[in-house]
């Protein structure tokens, strides 16, 4: 298998669009811009419902365009902006607004830090508008990886992974263009329930699951990390980004989250990318690769960490990982159904309506009941998601 090709030119970091600016990756992206990319101009920012955070960011970064959930939120935003600035700002709303931001004319790079299914249409819109995409929204690749990679190739734009594992693999591949990958070793922290017995996991609350040991992330990915669905999503993400076969991906639990992932080449040599768990590093790399920009971020001190451990994931205790592998093997629209049901189930678990273990159970049931279709266009994804939504409604969860 050929290594993921990366051209040796810097992407245009001068003009960027940031989708999902108010979230965990969004605010860290702006911290990277603030500290490391003084010449970057943020052309468009999007939030959804968090008006106070978005107001702060708009006042600081002064974009030309901003997108929020709906007209009511847009009115709230207008009222809270600095008066003389608010008038020159174009405020757009909803799904169409997100697409308009993704295709904003001056930007060279779109950072997609949206969570969940909302990310796919803007990813495709950005590619179609000829933008490079720095992609945190893994759900885009999970549901429509083949379409995204195909359209990006056709348009000559790059998909630059922000997910730390995929950034690590990308970094390990630098200088190895043309060398074959034997195996990708995807590391996983194991989440907050790694050491819990199954009986205790059955009773886990949202509060328990939100306590991730190593990373501070948005609520959806934090629950995905606890179920190991996050690693399942990342497994599918890696299949698409690096064009490897399923048997070329090994997942290992590495609770310290210091090695972010590894690549084994056909000579047996293994490259690893290491660092403290700090998402600003993969974000910065996505915006400047293959160049490295000097930062004042905290440094890894190996003498403090001393022990790095690795073990096999327990797919019996965490069935979501096996479910994701199965959905990937089925292919077509199966990953889209899995992803949509997972998103709804996570929402219901967070609001206390279902148990932790119900998440895997309902996804399994959905995949059993669903008749998979080939994935030819984005509409096939929307249709699969509609089916998934109806199933979740029928379950009255
Ligand atoms: P957050 O929940 O923190 O942020 C999500 C962002 O998307 C917010 O700006 C939110 O707006 C906005 N948003 C939510 N729903 C919608 C919607 N329906 N339409 C438009 N915008 C919406 O998520 P994270 O930053 O944690 O994650 C973002 C993506 O990055 C996910 O795909 C995740 O898997 C991936 N990722 C995250 C990592 C992390 O460390 N956080 C690490 C690796 C990958 P508002 O807040 O205004 O409502
Ligand atoms: Mg990750």
């Amino acid at each position: 298998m050929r290594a993921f090709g990366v051209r040796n030119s810097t992407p245009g970091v001068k003009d960027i669009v940031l989708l999902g600016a108010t979230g965990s990756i969004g605010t860290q992206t702006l911290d990277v811009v603030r500290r490391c990319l003084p010449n970057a101009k943020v052309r468009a920012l999007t939030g959804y419902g968090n008006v106070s955070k978005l107001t702060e960011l708009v006042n600081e970064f002064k974009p030309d365009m901003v997108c929020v959930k709906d007209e009511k939120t847009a009115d709230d935003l207008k009222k809270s902006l600095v008066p003389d600035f608010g008038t020159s700002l174009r405020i757009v709303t909803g799904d169409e607004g997100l697409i308009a931001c993704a295709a904003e004319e001056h930007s060279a790079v779109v950072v997609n830090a949206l969570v969940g299914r909302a990310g796919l249409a803007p990813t495709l819109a950005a590619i179609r508008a000829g933008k490079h995409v720095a992609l945190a929204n893994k759900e885009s690749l999970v549901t429509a990886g083949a379409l995204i990679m195909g359209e990006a190739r056709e348009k000559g734009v790059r998909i630059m992974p922000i997910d730390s594992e995929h950034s690590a693999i990308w970094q390990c591949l630098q200088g190895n263009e043309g060398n074959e990958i034997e195996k990708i070793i995807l590391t996983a922290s194991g989440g907050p329930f790694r050491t819990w017995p199954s009986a205790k996991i059955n009773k886990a609350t949202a509060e328990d699951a939100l306590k991730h040991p190593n990373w501070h992330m948005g609520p959806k990915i934090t629950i995905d990390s606890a179920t190991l669905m996050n690693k399942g999503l990342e497994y599918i993400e890696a299949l698409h980004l690096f064009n490897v076969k399923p048997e070329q991906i090994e997942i290992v639990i590495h609770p310290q989250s210091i090695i972010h992932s590894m690549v084994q080449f056909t000579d047996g040599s293994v490259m690893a990318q290491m660092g403290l768990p700090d998402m600003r590093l993969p974000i910065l790399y996505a915006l400047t690769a293959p160049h490295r920009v000097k930062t004042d971020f905290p440094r890894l001190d190996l003498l403090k960490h001393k022990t790095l451990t690795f073990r096999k994931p327990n797919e019996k205790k965490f069935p979501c990982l096996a479910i994701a592998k199965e959905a990937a093997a089925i292919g077509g629209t199966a990953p889209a159904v899995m992803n949509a049901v997972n998103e709804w189930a996570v929402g219901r678990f967070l609001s206390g309506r279902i148990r932790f273990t119900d998440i895997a159970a309902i996804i399994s049931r959905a995949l059993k009941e669903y008749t998979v279709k080939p994935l030819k266009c984005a509409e096939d994804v929307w249709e699969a998601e509609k089916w998934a939504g109806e199933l979740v409604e029928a379950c009255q969860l």
Side-chain angles (χ1 to χ4, degrees):
M1 209 41 67
R2 272 204 83 232
F4 178 57
V6 178
R7 270 182 272 145
N8 259 355
S9 63
T10 34
V13 287
K14 279 198 177 143
D15 293 291
I16 69 167
V17 162
L18 173 57
L19 312 176
T22 47
S24 161
I25 294 290
T27 49
Q28 292 180 86
T29 301
L30 291 171
D31 195 40
V32 163
V33 169
R34 201 182 277 124
R35 287 159 173 258
C36 312
L37 304 171
N39 298 325
K41 162 83 183 139
V42 182
R43 292 283 179 177
L45 284 177
T46 83
Y48 194 59
N50 189 345
V51 172
S52 61
K53 184 77 204 167
L54 194 57
T55 303
E56 229 177 79
L57 299 176
V58 168
N59 283 333
E60 178 181 354
F61 290 93
K62 305 205 167 7
D64 306 326
M65 203 194 302
V66 66
C67 179
V68 288
K69 183 177 172 184
D70 51 23
E71 292 300 331
K72 154 94 181 53
T73 320
D75 283 344
D76 293 344
L77 179 68
K78 270 182 220 157
K79 280 181 208 145
S80 65
L81 285 171
V82 175
D84 59 340
F85 175 64
T87 49
S88 62
L89 179 70
R90 183 174 163 210
I91 304 183
V92 291
T93 59
D95 295 343
E96 282 177 18
L98 277 179
I99 287 172
C101 287
E104 192 277 338
E105 59 177 329
H106 298 98
S107 72
V109 179
V110 173
V111 180
N112 186 343
L114 296 168
V115 65
R117 294 171 303 117
L120 175 59
T123 297
L124 289 171
I127 294 169
R128 288 169 188 167
K131 317 289 184 190
H132 297 299
V133 183
L135 192 60
N137 179 257
K138 62 187 81 185
E139 294 89 347
S140 296
L141 282 170
V142 168
T143 56
L147 300 178
I148 289 172
M149 298 311 285
E151 292 207 18
R153 258 192 311 275
E154 255 172 49
K155 275 279 179 187
V157 299
R158 287 181 295 165
I159 305 298
M160 303 166 297
I162 284 181
D163 215 344
S164 58
E165 293 76 3
H166 306 77
S167 175
I169 296 162
W170 181 25
Q171 294 181 54
C172 291
L173 293 175
Q174 294 290 343
N176 277 299
E177 291 81 2
N179 287 330
E180 283 196 9
I181 300 172
E182 189 166 86
K183 186 165 84 172
I184 280 173
I185 302 161
L186 208 57
T187 53
S189 71
F193 303 146
R194 182 177 55 86
T195 56
W196 286 32
S198 299
K200 195 174 168 197
I201 293 177
N202 289 344
K203 292 185 192 138
T205 63
E207 200 190 330
D208 297 325
L210 285 170
K211 284 184 199 142
H212 195 282
N214 304 342
W215 300 92
H216 297 288
M217 310 179 285
K220 195 244 171 196
I221 184 177
T222 307
I223 303 305
D224 286 346
S225 299
T227 59
L228 287 204
M229 177 52 90
N230 184 50
K231 215 43 57 181
L233 300 178
E234 291 181 354
Y235 166 88
I236 302 177
E237 202 183 352
L239 287 173
H240 292 295
L241 279 172
F242 305 110
N243 195 23
V244 289
K245 297 195 186 85
E247 59 274 19
Q248 287 177 287
I249 303 182
E250 180 183 3
I251 297 172
V252 295
I253 302 293
H254 167 47
Q256 297 81 16
S257 297
I258 295 297
I259 297 186
H260 299 305
S261 276
M262 296 171 251
V263 175
Q264 182 174 307
F265 292 95
T266 46
D267 62 354
S269 182
V270 178
M271 303 281 284
Q273 190 267 336
M274 302 168 75
L276 289 172
D278 182 343
M279 284 309 296
R280 293 174 304 176
L281 286 171
I283 293 168
L284 177 62
Y285 193 74
L287 293 173
T288 60
H291 303 288
R292 296 197 180 268
V293 173
K294 194 175 165 69
T295 75
D296 61 357
F297 302 160
R299 282 358 188 198
L300 170 64
D301 179 352
L302 279 173
L303 295 179
K304 263 193 202 150
H305 287 273
K306 291 195 177 96
T307 316
L308 301 181
T309 59
F310 307 92
R311 59 165 47 209
K312 221 175 148 175
N314 184 340
E315 293 187 7
K316 274 212 177 102
K317 207 157 86 168
F318 300 103
C320 282
L321 182 52
I323 292 172
K325 287 182 184 170
E326 191 195 329
I330 298 169
T333 50
V337 162
M338 175 200 75
N339 180 65
V341 176
N342 178 57
E343 194 170 325
W344 277 303
V346 167
R348 279 160 174 75
F349 171 68
L350 282 169
S351 57
R353 289 163 66 184
I354 62 171
R355 288 175 310 167
F356 185 74
T357 44
D358 292 334
I359 300 174
I362 170 92
I363 304 169
S364 256
R365 177 177 157 190
L367 285 173
K368 277 200 189 86
E369 290 183 18
Y370 180 62
T371 310
V372 178
K373 311 219 169 36
L375 178 66
K376 294 194 197 117
C377 57
E379 284 66 28
D380 296 327
V381 173
W382 321 141
E383 220 172 89
E385 289 174 346
K386 188 164 167 267
W387 181 91
E390 285 163 5
L391 177 94
V392 173
E393 280 308 311
C395 291
Q396 297 189 328
L397 295 173

